Amino acid sequence: MPEADREGNLAAAYSRLLHDPDPAVREQAALDWCAWEDTHVATFPGATHDPRYDDPVFRMTFARLVTHYWANAGFVEDGQLLRDLPRLAGIPGVLVHGRTDISSPLDVPWRVAQGWPDAELVVVGDAGHGGGSWSAELRAGIARLAERLA
């Protein structure tokens, strides 16, 4: 990342690099972004390198998609998620979140669960941004939802 772009919206700065006219600049930005992704989501025991980042087409597509949404705050107005939670009243949901997820801190799903009375929050002790028993807990949560809706 050029020094001038290290302050402010880093996702927007990476997005600019990922769309640079120079293919070498674009590929390096994709490599750097995906190396960071691969590291910060691997906070659970037994985490290993995700081989999908070895594919240059996946790397570029993933990095461009993520930086586009992050640079634009997910195209959601600040405060909108919590403010509009009453609209979900009566709709059941399950929020599955890894305890060591540093990418998406636990306070967000906790606040969502507080404002969405029909939601269940499951915190997975051996998971980060996935991994551990996260997938099993997600499948179990979907099964519970299916039973409620049957």
Side-chain angles (χ1 to χ4, degrees), residues 7 9 45 51 56 65 80 87 97 101 110 114 117 120 127 134 136:
E7 298 293 327
N9 189 334
L65 180 67
Q80 181 179 353
R87 297 175 70 184
H97 198 85
D101 187 344
W110 183 83
Q114 298 303 300
E120 169 192 358
W134 188 89

Side-chain angles (χ1 to χ4, degrees), residues 40-62:
H40 89 272
V41 301
T43 58
F44 57 92
T48 59
H49 166 68
D50 188 335
R52 66 186 179 162
Y53 296 124
D54 297 336
D55 175 3
V57 173
F58 175 86
R59 245 189 338 256
M60 186 63 67
T61 303
F62 178 83

Side-chain angles (χ1 to χ4, degrees), residues 1-148:
M1 179 63 54
E3 191 170 335
D5 289 328
R6 293 180 190 167
E7 298 293 327
N9 189 334
L10 288 176
Y14 262 99
S15 185
R16 286 191 296 277
L17 292 174
L18 291 162
H19 292 86
D20 193 274
D22 184 344
V25 170
R26 291 192 306 265
E27 179 55 25
Q28 188 61 54
L31 278 166
D32 292 344
W33 185 271
C34 290
W36 176 76
E37 285 277 352
D38 202 27
T39 300
H40 89 272
V41 301
T43 58
F44 57 92
T48 59
H49 166 68
D50 188 335
R52 66 186 179 162
Y53 296 124
D54 297 336
D55 175 3
V57 173
F58 175 86
R59 245 189 338 256
M60 186 63 67
T61 303
F62 178 83
R64 282 181 169 174
L65 180 67
V66 171
T67 58
H68 178 67
Y69 276 88
W70 282 24
N72 292 286
F75 299 96
V76 176
E77 180 185 310
D78 191 34
Q80 181 179 353
L81 177 66
L82 296 177
R83 183 186 69 236
D84 289 347
L85 281 173
R87 297 175 70 184
L88 297 176
I91 301 172
V94 176
L95 308 167
V96 179
H97 198 85
R99 182 181 56 80
T100 61
D101 187 344
I102 59 173
S103 176
S104 303
L106 185 55
D107 68 312
V108 175
W110 183 83
R111 288 187 298 172
V112 168
Q114 298 303 300
W116 184 7
D118 300 295
E120 169 192 358
L121 174 59
V122 177
V123 178
V124 185
D126 67 345
H129 198 75
S133 59
W134 188 89
S135 293
E137 291 291 346
L138 182 61
R139 285 190 300 275
I142 291 169
R144 287 191 302 280
L145 279 176
E147 287 175 15
R148 286 179 66 184

